[in-house]
């Protein structure tokens, strides 16, 4: 995947661009549904991750077959993070795995891309939840908080509302407080572009005092695309790297180094060819020993950016929901995600009326607002001609 293909600034969401986003989203959503169906007691996180990646590759290989130059594939390897594990758990076949048990809270995170147009998604499942075995207590609270925080955030992306990224941060915090939960510190939602997982603007869900001063206050504009990623905890929200090996990496941008070890050169070449600049898991390499050895030198010299496995304290629960959203001329287009069955969750906490009203808003612009936009466009056109 060439660096020249990376986008610069915001692209116009033309019909062709939206079609590629939607194609990638269909793949991601279908694989997510298939993985969810396999989340049962006795299956391992590694088995789920392998299945998810295999399906992402299989389905993406069938898309845009006539255009042989179109790059496509995994945009985020399948990660299966259980209970207090926050994110990025995709264990190697030869190392410690986790067997899913009844009552576990399982986060599924994955993504696909078509021609560098990325569709990323995450969903949380409580194993064994059913109409006769509803989720209650802290587990229900953390899942509902993450779900509602995501839905509220989406509806604050409308440019006409004039909100800043910091306004969204405050709203996430308020919703989490209602459910006696805490957003994981310093986790970011990103504006994205073609072949670009960090195109500029960021939304931070729970900044430390140090981090808060580094985030530029920005608004939202038409033709922007965001991955909105909410990770919420029953604990303090202070996640740390743990004992499990980091297996998810991404090629660093514009960095060149002549690797010394043959294993490292072979591994890095294969990673570039197979994944380009997209995140990948070394569990996907056939020669695991070579990958484990090769990645060490690549990371040491900054050629690969690690995605560490983060944890909350033992006994705490973390929930995650992630979607990819396009800000279009007709509203917010939420292209990834599957519905959460709210009937399976019971909480003693309820949202206040303003928040309930917000999350019930349509993601499509109302006719009146569309008419106002059209009038503004005509006025600007006349002023330009004058």
């Amino acid at each position: 995947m060439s660096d020249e293909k990376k986008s610069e600034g915001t692209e116009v969401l033309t019909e062709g661009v939206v079609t590629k986003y939607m194609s990638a989203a269909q793949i991601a959503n279908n694989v997510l549904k298939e993985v969810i169906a396999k989340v049962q007691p006795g299956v391992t996180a590694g088995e789920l991750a392998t299945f998810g990646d295999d399906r992402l590759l299989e389905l993406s290989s069938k898309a845009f077959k006539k255009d042989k130059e179109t790059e496509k594939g995994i945009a985020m390897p399948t990660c299966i993070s259980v209970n207090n594990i926050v994110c990025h758990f995709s264990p190697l076949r030869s190392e410690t795995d986790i067997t899913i048990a009844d009552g576990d809270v399982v986060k599924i995170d994955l993504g696909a891309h078509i021609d560098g147009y990325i569709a990323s998604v995450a969903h949380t499942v409580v194993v064994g939840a059913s109409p006769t075995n509803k989720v209650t207590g802290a587990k229900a609270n953390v899942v509902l908080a993450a779900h509602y925080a995501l839905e509220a955030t989406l509806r604050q992306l409308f440019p006409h509302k004039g909100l800043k990224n910091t306004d969204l941060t405050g709203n996430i915090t308020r919703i989490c407080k209602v459910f006696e939960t805490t957003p994981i510190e310093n986790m970011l939602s990103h504006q994205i572009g073609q072949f670009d997982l960090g195109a500029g603007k960021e939304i931070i869900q729970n900044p430390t005092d140090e981090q808060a001063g580094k985030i530029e206050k920005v608004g939202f504009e038409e033709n922007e695309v965001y991955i909105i990623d909410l990770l919420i905890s029953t604990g303090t929200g202070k996640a740390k790297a743990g004992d499990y090996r980091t297996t998810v990496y991404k090629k660093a941008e514009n960095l060149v180094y002549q690797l010394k070890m043959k294993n490292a050169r072979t591994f890095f070449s294969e990673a570039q060819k197979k994944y380009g600049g997209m995140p990948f898991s070394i569990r996907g390499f056939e020669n695991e020993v070579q990958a484990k050895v090769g990645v060490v030198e690549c990371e040491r010299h900054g050629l690969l950016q690690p995605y560490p496995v983060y944890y909350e304290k033992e006994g705490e629960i973390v929930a995650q929901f992630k979607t990819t959203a396009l800000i279009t001329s007709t509203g917010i287009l939420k292209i990834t995600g599957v519905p959460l069955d709210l009937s399976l969750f019971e909480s003693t906490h309820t949202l206040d009326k303003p928040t309930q009203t917000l999350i019930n808003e349509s993601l499509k612009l109302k006719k009146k607002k569309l008419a106002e936009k059209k009038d503004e466009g005509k006025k600007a056109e006349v002023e330009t001609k004058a």
Side-chain angles (χ1 to χ4, degrees):
M1 204 170 297
S2 62
D3 289 335
E4 288 77 14
K5 285 194 175 185
K6 184 179 171 181
S7 65
E8 293 184 6
T10 301
E11 309 176 68
V12 176
L13 293 175
T14 63
E15 183 178 350
V17 169
V18 173
T19 296
K20 289 177 180 178
Y21 271 119
M22 294 299 292
S23 296
Q26 184 176 15
I27 292 167
N29 289 335
N30 285 342
V31 175
L32 175 62
K33 292 174 187 176
E34 292 178 14
V35 176
I36 289 173
K38 288 184 172 293
V39 178
Q40 301 291 337
V43 70
T44 68
E47 289 169 344
L48 294 171
T50 298
F51 172 80
D53 284 358
D54 288 347
R55 291 294 288 152
L56 286 169
L57 290 171
E58 181 181 353
L59 295 182
S60 60
S61 70
K62 297 177 181 178
F64 285 78
K65 269 193 168 182
K66 293 182 179 179
D67 187 352
K68 294 182 180 180
E69 297 300 314
T70 298
E71 298 177 39
K72 53 202 175 182
I74 294 174
M76 173 56 73
T78 308
C79 297
I80 307 295
S81 303
V82 184
N83 296 331
N84 66 312
I85 301 177
V86 176
C87 55
H88 306 150
F89 186 69
S90 184
L92 299 182
R93 294 173 180 83
S94 64
E95 297 185 340
T96 304
D97 204 342
I98 292 176
T99 300
I100 305 301
D102 193 51
D104 280 347
V105 177
V106 181
K107 297 167 286 295
I108 305 161
D109 186 3
L110 55 86
H113 81 94
I114 301 293
D115 195 23
Y117 294 104
I118 299 159
S120 192
V121 65
H123 190 83
T124 297
V125 175
V126 181
V127 182
S130 70
T132 57
N133 185 31
K134 294 191 177 185
V135 183
T136 59
K139 290 180 183 178
N141 289 339
V142 75
V143 173
L144 292 174
H147 167 73
Y148 288 133
L150 179 112
E151 294 300 323
T153 299
L154 279 175
R155 287 156 178 80
Q156 292 181 303
L157 295 176
F158 285 105
H160 73 267
K161 290 190 174 183
L163 297 172
K164 302 292 184 185
N165 52 346
T166 49
D167 296 318
L168 275 60
T169 298
N171 204 48
I172 292 167
T173 301
R174 284 191 292 274
I175 290 172
C176 288
K177 283 184 177 179
V178 169
F179 290 94
E180 298 182 348
T181 57
T182 310
I184 297 292
E185 283 186 350
N186 293 338
M187 291 293 176
L188 296 170
S189 294
H190 289 274
Q191 180 189 358
I192 61 172
Q194 187 184 19
F195 292 107
D196 192 352
L197 280 160
K201 298 179 182 179
E202 297 175 335
I203 304 163
I204 188 166
Q205 65 173 30
N206 183 11
T208 59
D209 291 339
E210 180 184 1
Q211 190 69 18
K214 297 179 181 179
I215 298 294
E216 179 186 1
K217 288 187 178 182
V218 292
F220 306 99
E221 300 175 23
E222 190 176 311
N223 289 309
E224 292 179 342
V225 183
Y226 288 85
I227 292 176
I228 305 298
D229 190 8
L230 278 296
L231 293 127
I232 312 302
S233 171
T234 58
T236 62
K238 298 182 185 296
K240 297 181 179 180
D243 296 331
Y244 286 112
R245 176 192 291 272
T246 296
T247 64
V248 179
Y249 292 87
K250 174 181 175 292
K251 179 181 174 291
E253 298 170 13
N254 305 319
L255 187 63
V256 178
Y257 177 81
Q258 186 60 45
L259 293 164
K260 304 294 189 295
M261 295 175 58
K262 182 179 178 181
N263 274 340
R265 293 196 300 271
T266 302
F267 164 74
F268 189 65
S269 175
E270 184 180 348
Q272 281 187 292
K273 183 178 180 181
K274 194 172 182 179
Y275 301 105
M278 297 293 172
F280 62 90
S281 174
I282 60 175
R283 69 175 288 109
F285 289 76
E286 188 172 336
N287 190 333
E288 185 181 290
V289 174
Q290 184 183 73
K292 286 165 66 176
V293 173
V295 76
V296 174
E297 187 182 2
C298 293
E299 184 179 357
R300 183 188 302 130
H301 296 287
L303 292 179
L304 292 178
Q305 169 193 327
Y307 287 65
V309 181
Y310 286 108
Y311 300 77
E312 250 283 17
K313 289 182 179 179
E314 190 71 32
E316 303 295 354
I317 299 294
V318 177
Q320 177 186 24
F321 289 94
K322 180 201 290 187
T323 189
T324 306
L326 284 59
I327 304 179
T328 74
S329 59
T330 58
I332 308 300
L333 187 58
K334 177 187 178 184
I335 62 172
T336 60
V338 298
L340 177 69
D341 187 350
L342 295 173
S343 69
L344 300 180
F345 299 87
E346 286 186 352
S347 174
T348 57
H349 304 291
T350 56
L351 294 170
D352 57 52
K353 286 188 177 180
T355 305
Q356 288 178 343
T357 300
L358 174 63
I359 62 175
N360 287 330
E361 283 183 11
S362 173
L363 290 173
K364 293 183 178 180
L365 284 172
K366 294 181 180 179
K367 291 182 179 180
K368 181 180 178 181
K369 185 56 65 176
L370 283 170
E372 289 175 358
K373 283 189 63 181
K374 193 174 290 185
D375 290 341
E376 289 173 1
K378 288 180 180 179
K379 183 179 178 181
E381 186 178 346
V382 171
E383 290 175 349
T384 302
K385 288 180 179 179

